[in-house]
Short mmCIF file of all heavy atoms in Angstrom, two decimals:
data_model
loop_
_atom_site.label_atom_id
_atom_site.label_comp_id
_atom_site.label_asym_id
_atom_site.label_seq_id
_atom_site.Cartn_x
_atom_site.Cartn_y
_atom_site.Cartn_z
N LEU A 252 60.29 105.20 91.81
CA LEU A 252 60.28 105.67 90.42
C LEU A 252 60.64 104.46 89.50
O LEU A 252 61.78 104.02 89.48
CB LEU A 252 61.26 106.78 90.22
CG LEU A 252 61.31 107.40 88.80
CD1 LEU A 252 60.06 108.11 88.43
CD2 LEU A 252 62.57 108.36 88.68
N HIS A 253 59.66 104.00 88.77
CA HIS A 253 59.90 102.87 87.82
C HIS A 253 60.44 103.49 86.54
O HIS A 253 59.68 103.83 85.63
CB HIS A 253 58.60 102.09 87.58
CG HIS A 253 58.83 100.89 86.73
ND1 HIS A 253 59.92 100.03 86.78
CD2 HIS A 253 58.04 100.36 85.72
CE1 HIS A 253 59.83 99.12 85.92
NE2 HIS A 253 58.69 99.24 85.25
N LEU A 254 61.74 103.65 86.52
CA LEU A 254 62.41 104.37 85.42
C LEU A 254 62.71 103.32 84.29
O LEU A 254 63.77 102.70 84.32
CB LEU A 254 63.71 105.01 85.92
CG LEU A 254 64.43 105.99 84.96
CD1 LEU A 254 63.52 107.15 84.58
CD2 LEU A 254 65.74 106.47 85.62
N ARG A 255 61.78 103.16 83.44
CA ARG A 255 61.87 102.09 82.42
C ARG A 255 62.75 102.46 81.25
O ARG A 255 62.41 102.20 80.08
CB ARG A 255 60.46 101.73 82.00
CG ARG A 255 60.33 100.38 81.27
CD ARG A 255 60.64 99.17 82.17
NE ARG A 255 60.26 97.93 81.47
CZ ARG A 255 61.16 97.21 80.77
NH1 ARG A 255 62.42 97.61 80.68
NH2 ARG A 255 60.79 96.09 80.19
N TYR A 256 63.85 103.10 81.50
CA TYR A 256 64.84 103.45 80.45
C TYR A 256 65.89 102.42 80.42
O TYR A 256 67.03 102.65 80.69
CB TYR A 256 65.36 104.84 80.73
CG TYR A 256 65.92 105.56 79.52
CD1 TYR A 256 65.10 106.11 78.58
CD2 TYR A 256 67.29 105.63 79.26
CE1 TYR A 256 65.59 106.74 77.43
CE2 TYR A 256 67.84 106.25 78.18
CZ TYR A 256 66.97 106.80 77.25
OH TYR A 256 67.45 107.44 76.14
N GLU A 257 65.50 101.20 79.99
CA GLU A 257 66.40 100.03 79.96
C GLU A 257 66.53 99.57 78.55
O GLU A 257 65.67 99.80 77.68
CB GLU A 257 65.88 98.96 80.87
CG GLU A 257 65.75 99.37 82.33
CD GLU A 257 64.77 98.56 83.13
OE1 GLU A 257 63.54 98.66 82.88
OE2 GLU A 257 65.23 97.82 84.02
N MET A 260 63.61 97.65 76.82
CA MET A 260 62.43 98.51 76.56
C MET A 260 62.68 99.44 75.36
O MET A 260 61.77 99.59 74.51
CB MET A 260 62.16 99.37 77.85
CG MET A 260 60.95 100.26 77.75
SD MET A 260 59.41 99.33 77.76
CE MET A 260 58.84 99.54 76.08
N LEU A 261 63.86 100.01 75.31
CA LEU A 261 64.13 100.94 74.17
C LEU A 261 64.22 100.22 72.89
O LEU A 261 63.74 100.70 71.85
CB LEU A 261 65.48 101.68 74.52
CG LEU A 261 65.45 102.52 75.76
CD1 LEU A 261 66.82 103.19 75.97
CD2 LEU A 261 64.36 103.61 75.71
N CYS A 266 62.32 103.38 70.72
CA CYS A 266 62.45 104.73 71.23
C CYS A 266 63.92 105.09 71.48
O CYS A 266 64.57 104.41 72.31
CB CYS A 266 61.64 104.90 72.52
SG CYS A 266 59.89 104.65 72.30
N HIS A 268 65.00 108.51 71.62
CA HIS A 268 65.19 109.95 71.99
C HIS A 268 66.18 110.09 73.07
O HIS A 268 66.13 109.45 74.13
CB HIS A 268 63.80 110.51 72.45
CG HIS A 268 63.87 111.97 72.73
ND1 HIS A 268 63.90 112.94 71.73
CD2 HIS A 268 63.87 112.67 73.91
CE1 HIS A 268 63.88 114.14 72.28
NE2 HIS A 268 63.88 113.99 73.63
N ARG A 299 57.31 108.76 70.04
CA ARG A 299 57.42 109.66 71.20
C ARG A 299 56.28 110.64 71.23
O ARG A 299 55.64 110.85 72.29
CB ARG A 299 58.76 110.37 71.15
CG ARG A 299 58.96 111.35 72.31
CD ARG A 299 60.38 111.90 72.33
NE ARG A 299 60.49 112.95 73.36
CZ ARG A 299 60.26 114.23 73.19
NH1 ARG A 299 59.87 114.65 71.93
NH2 ARG A 299 60.37 115.08 74.16
N GLY A 302 53.13 109.39 72.55
CA GLY A 302 53.17 109.01 73.96
C GLY A 302 53.42 107.55 74.22
O GLY A 302 53.13 107.02 75.24
N LEU A 303 54.14 106.93 73.29
CA LEU A 303 54.40 105.48 73.32
C LEU A 303 55.83 105.18 73.79
O LEU A 303 56.27 103.99 73.72
CB LEU A 303 54.14 104.84 71.99
CG LEU A 303 52.69 104.99 71.47
CD1 LEU A 303 52.56 104.38 70.08
CD2 LEU A 303 51.70 104.38 72.43
N CYS A 304 56.57 106.13 74.22
CA CYS A 304 57.97 105.92 74.68
C CYS A 304 58.10 106.21 76.13
O CYS A 304 57.39 107.05 76.70
CB CYS A 304 58.89 106.83 73.89
SG CYS A 304 59.14 106.43 72.16
N PRO A 305 59.04 105.51 76.81
CA PRO A 305 59.31 105.82 78.19
C PRO A 305 60.00 107.23 78.33
O PRO A 305 60.67 107.59 77.38
CB PRO A 305 60.26 104.75 78.67
CG PRO A 305 60.87 104.23 77.41
CD PRO A 305 59.90 104.41 76.30
N LEU A 306 59.76 107.91 79.37
CA LEU A 306 60.41 109.18 79.56
C LEU A 306 61.91 108.92 79.77
O LEU A 306 62.34 107.92 80.35
CB LEU A 306 59.90 109.90 80.77
CG LEU A 306 58.45 110.39 80.75
CD1 LEU A 306 58.10 111.17 82.00
CD2 LEU A 306 58.15 111.22 79.54
N THR A 307 62.73 109.84 79.24
CA THR A 307 64.16 109.74 79.49
C THR A 307 64.43 110.18 80.96
O THR A 307 63.58 110.82 81.57
CB THR A 307 64.97 110.67 78.57
OG1 THR A 307 64.65 112.04 78.90
CG2 THR A 307 64.60 110.41 77.10
N PRO A 308 65.56 109.80 81.49
CA PRO A 308 65.85 110.28 82.92
C PRO A 308 65.80 111.81 82.97
O PRO A 308 65.36 112.33 84.01
CB PRO A 308 67.28 109.73 83.13
CG PRO A 308 67.36 108.52 82.26
CD PRO A 308 66.59 108.88 81.01
N GLU A 309 66.30 112.48 81.98
CA GLU A 309 66.27 113.96 81.99
C GLU A 309 64.88 114.52 81.97
O GLU A 309 64.52 115.48 82.68
CB GLU A 309 67.05 114.51 80.81
CG GLU A 309 68.56 114.16 80.83
CD GLU A 309 68.86 112.78 80.33
OE1 GLU A 309 67.95 112.09 79.83
OE2 GLU A 309 70.03 112.32 80.47
N GLU A 310 63.97 113.86 81.15
CA GLU A 310 62.59 114.28 81.18
C GLU A 310 61.92 114.00 82.52
O GLU A 310 61.07 114.85 82.97
CB GLU A 310 61.85 113.58 80.01
CG GLU A 310 62.27 114.05 78.63
CD GLU A 310 61.70 113.15 77.53
OE1 GLU A 310 61.33 112.00 77.79
OE2 GLU A 310 61.55 113.67 76.42
N ALA A 311 62.25 112.87 83.12
CA ALA A 311 61.68 112.52 84.39
C ALA A 311 62.01 113.57 85.45
O ALA A 311 61.17 113.89 86.35
CB ALA A 311 62.21 111.18 84.85
N VAL A 312 63.25 114.14 85.39
CA VAL A 312 63.61 115.19 86.34
C VAL A 312 62.66 116.38 86.29
O VAL A 312 62.17 116.88 87.30
CB VAL A 312 65.05 115.68 86.09
CG1 VAL A 312 65.38 116.92 86.90
CG2 VAL A 312 66.07 114.54 86.45
N LEU A 313 62.41 116.88 85.05
CA LEU A 313 61.54 118.02 84.90
C LEU A 313 60.11 117.70 85.33
O LEU A 313 59.49 118.59 85.98
CB LEU A 313 61.52 118.45 83.39
CG LEU A 313 62.89 118.95 82.87
CD1 LEU A 313 62.78 119.20 81.35
CD2 LEU A 313 63.31 120.24 83.57
N VAL A 314 59.64 116.54 85.08
CA VAL A 314 58.28 116.17 85.46
C VAL A 314 58.14 116.10 86.96
O VAL A 314 57.16 116.58 87.52
CB VAL A 314 57.86 114.85 84.76
CG1 VAL A 314 56.52 114.38 85.29
CG2 VAL A 314 57.78 115.05 83.24
N LEU A 315 59.11 115.47 87.58
CA LEU A 315 59.10 115.33 89.06
C LEU A 315 59.10 116.72 89.71
O LEU A 315 58.32 116.98 90.66
CB LEU A 315 60.26 114.52 89.57
CG LEU A 315 60.23 113.02 89.31
CD1 LEU A 315 61.56 112.38 89.65
CD2 LEU A 315 59.09 112.34 90.07
N LEU A 318 55.72 118.41 89.28
CA LEU A 318 54.71 117.87 90.12
C LEU A 318 54.84 118.26 91.59
O LEU A 318 53.99 117.96 92.43
CB LEU A 318 54.72 116.31 90.01
CG LEU A 318 54.19 115.73 88.72
CD1 LEU A 318 54.51 114.27 88.60
CD2 LEU A 318 52.69 115.96 88.52
N ILE A 333 70.13 101.12 83.85
CA ILE A 333 69.65 102.21 83.03
C ILE A 333 70.55 102.26 81.75
O ILE A 333 71.80 102.32 81.88
CB ILE A 333 69.68 103.56 83.80
CG1 ILE A 333 68.73 103.45 85.02
CG2 ILE A 333 69.18 104.72 82.87
CD1 ILE A 333 67.33 103.07 84.73
N ARG A 339 73.52 108.97 82.30
CA ARG A 339 72.16 109.26 82.08
C ARG A 339 71.41 109.50 83.39
O ARG A 339 70.28 110.05 83.41
CB ARG A 339 71.47 108.10 81.31
CG ARG A 339 72.03 107.86 79.91
CD ARG A 339 72.05 109.14 79.06
NE ARG A 339 70.76 109.78 78.94
CZ ARG A 339 69.90 109.50 77.89
NH1 ARG A 339 70.22 108.60 77.06
NH2 ARG A 339 68.78 110.17 77.79
N ILE A 387 55.55 106.02 90.79
CA ILE A 387 55.49 106.75 89.55
C ILE A 387 56.22 105.90 88.45
O ILE A 387 57.41 105.82 88.49
CB ILE A 387 56.15 108.10 89.64
CG1 ILE A 387 55.63 108.90 90.84
CG2 ILE A 387 55.97 108.87 88.34
CD1 ILE A 387 56.31 110.26 91.03
N PRO A 388 55.48 105.37 87.53
CA PRO A 388 56.14 104.67 86.38
C PRO A 388 56.33 105.65 85.23
O PRO A 388 55.43 106.37 84.91
CB PRO A 388 55.09 103.56 86.05
CG PRO A 388 53.79 104.12 86.45
CD PRO A 388 54.02 105.09 87.58
N THR A 389 57.47 105.57 84.64
CA THR A 389 57.77 106.46 83.45
C THR A 389 57.29 105.82 82.15
O THR A 389 57.36 106.41 81.08
CB THR A 389 59.21 106.81 83.36
OG1 THR A 389 59.99 105.60 83.22
CG2 THR A 389 59.72 107.53 84.61
N TYR A 390 56.82 104.57 82.25
CA TYR A 390 56.24 103.85 81.11
C TYR A 390 55.16 102.93 81.63
O TYR A 390 55.35 102.30 82.69
CB TYR A 390 57.31 103.08 80.35
CG TYR A 390 56.76 102.38 79.13
CD1 TYR A 390 56.63 103.08 77.91
CD2 TYR A 390 56.46 101.02 79.12
CE1 TYR A 390 56.08 102.45 76.79
CE2 TYR A 390 55.96 100.38 78.01
CZ TYR A 390 55.77 101.09 76.84
OH TYR A 390 55.27 100.48 75.73
N TYR A 391 54.02 102.88 80.96
CA TYR A 391 52.88 102.12 81.50
C TYR A 391 52.92 100.69 80.90
O TYR A 391 52.13 100.26 80.11
CB TYR A 391 51.60 102.79 81.08
CG TYR A 391 50.39 102.39 81.90
CD1 TYR A 391 50.45 102.34 83.30
CD2 TYR A 391 49.20 102.09 81.28
CE1 TYR A 391 49.38 101.94 84.05
CE2 TYR A 391 48.09 101.67 82.04
CZ TYR A 391 48.16 101.63 83.40
OH TYR A 391 47.08 101.24 84.16
N LEU A 413 51.56 108.81 84.53
CA LEU A 413 51.95 109.96 83.68
C LEU A 413 51.26 109.93 82.36
O LEU A 413 51.25 108.88 81.67
CB LEU A 413 53.47 109.98 83.53
CG LEU A 413 54.29 110.06 84.82
CD1 LEU A 413 55.78 110.01 84.50
CD2 LEU A 413 53.89 111.36 85.55
N ASP A 414 50.74 111.09 81.89
CA ASP A 414 50.17 111.25 80.56
C ASP A 414 51.33 111.56 79.65
O ASP A 414 51.63 112.77 79.43
CB ASP A 414 49.12 112.33 80.62
CG ASP A 414 48.38 112.50 79.29
OD1 ASP A 414 48.87 111.95 78.26
OD2 ASP A 414 47.36 113.13 79.26
N ARG A 415 52.00 110.56 79.10
CA ARG A 415 53.19 110.80 78.33
C ARG A 415 52.94 111.58 77.06
O ARG A 415 53.77 112.41 76.65
CB ARG A 415 53.86 109.45 78.04
CG ARG A 415 54.37 108.74 79.26
CD ARG A 415 55.22 107.53 78.91
NE ARG A 415 54.61 106.65 77.97
CZ ARG A 415 53.63 105.78 78.25
NH1 ARG A 415 53.18 105.71 79.46
NH2 ARG A 415 53.14 105.02 77.34
N LYS A 416 51.82 111.37 76.44
CA LYS A 416 51.53 112.13 75.20
C LYS A 416 51.43 113.65 75.47
O LYS A 416 52.02 114.44 74.78
CB LYS A 416 50.21 111.65 74.59
CG LYS A 416 49.91 112.28 73.25
CD LYS A 416 48.65 111.68 72.63
CE LYS A 416 48.33 112.29 71.26
NZ LYS A 416 47.15 111.73 70.66
N ARG A 417 50.74 113.98 76.52
CA ARG A 417 50.65 115.40 76.89
C ARG A 417 51.97 115.92 77.42
O ARG A 417 52.37 117.06 77.13
CB ARG A 417 49.58 115.55 78.01
CG ARG A 417 49.39 116.98 78.57
CD ARG A 417 48.90 117.96 77.50
NE ARG A 417 48.62 119.26 78.09
CZ ARG A 417 48.82 120.40 77.40
NH1 ARG A 417 49.23 120.37 76.15
NH2 ARG A 417 48.49 121.51 77.99
N LEU A 418 52.69 115.09 78.20
CA LEU A 418 53.96 115.53 78.75
C LEU A 418 54.99 115.85 77.63
O LEU A 418 55.74 116.79 77.76
CB LEU A 418 54.51 114.46 79.69
CG LEU A 418 53.87 114.41 81.06
CD1 LEU A 418 54.45 113.26 81.87
CD2 LEU A 418 54.08 115.72 81.83
N VAL A 419 55.06 115.00 76.56
CA VAL A 419 56.01 115.23 75.50
C VAL A 419 55.70 116.59 74.85
O VAL A 419 56.63 117.34 74.53
CB VAL A 419 55.92 114.06 74.44
CG1 VAL A 419 56.58 114.48 73.14
CG2 VAL A 419 56.53 112.81 75.01
N LEU A 422 56.89 119.22 77.44
CA LEU A 422 58.41 119.23 77.53
C LEU A 422 58.98 119.95 76.33
O LEU A 422 59.93 120.70 76.53
CB LEU A 422 58.88 117.77 77.61
CG LEU A 422 58.65 117.09 78.96
CD1 LEU A 422 58.81 115.58 78.83
CD2 LEU A 422 59.63 117.62 79.99
N HIS A 443 47.43 115.96 85.33
CA HIS A 443 47.43 114.77 86.21
C HIS A 443 46.42 114.85 87.32
O HIS A 443 46.51 114.09 88.26
CB HIS A 443 48.83 114.48 86.67
CG HIS A 443 49.77 114.13 85.57
ND1 HIS A 443 50.52 115.08 84.90
CD2 HIS A 443 50.13 112.92 85.00
CE1 HIS A 443 51.23 114.51 83.96
NE2 HIS A 443 50.99 113.22 83.99
#
Side-chain angles (χ1 to χ4, degrees):
L252 180 67
H253 184 40
L254 190 61
R255 195 68 171 93
Y256 201 76
E257 299 159 291
M260 182 71 250
L261 300 178
C266 298
H268 184 75
R299 180 173 174 270
L303 301 177
C304 288
L306 296 183
T307 68
E309 296 80 9
E310 291 172 334
V312 169
L313 295 174
V314 172
L315 288 171
L318 287 170
I333 301 303
R339 298 307 302 269
I387 307 175
T389 60
Y390 183 81
Y391 198 48
L413 301 178
D414 184 346
R415 294 189 309 283
K416 185 175 182 180
R417 177 64 174 149
L418 283 176
V419 165
L422 285 162
H443 295 88

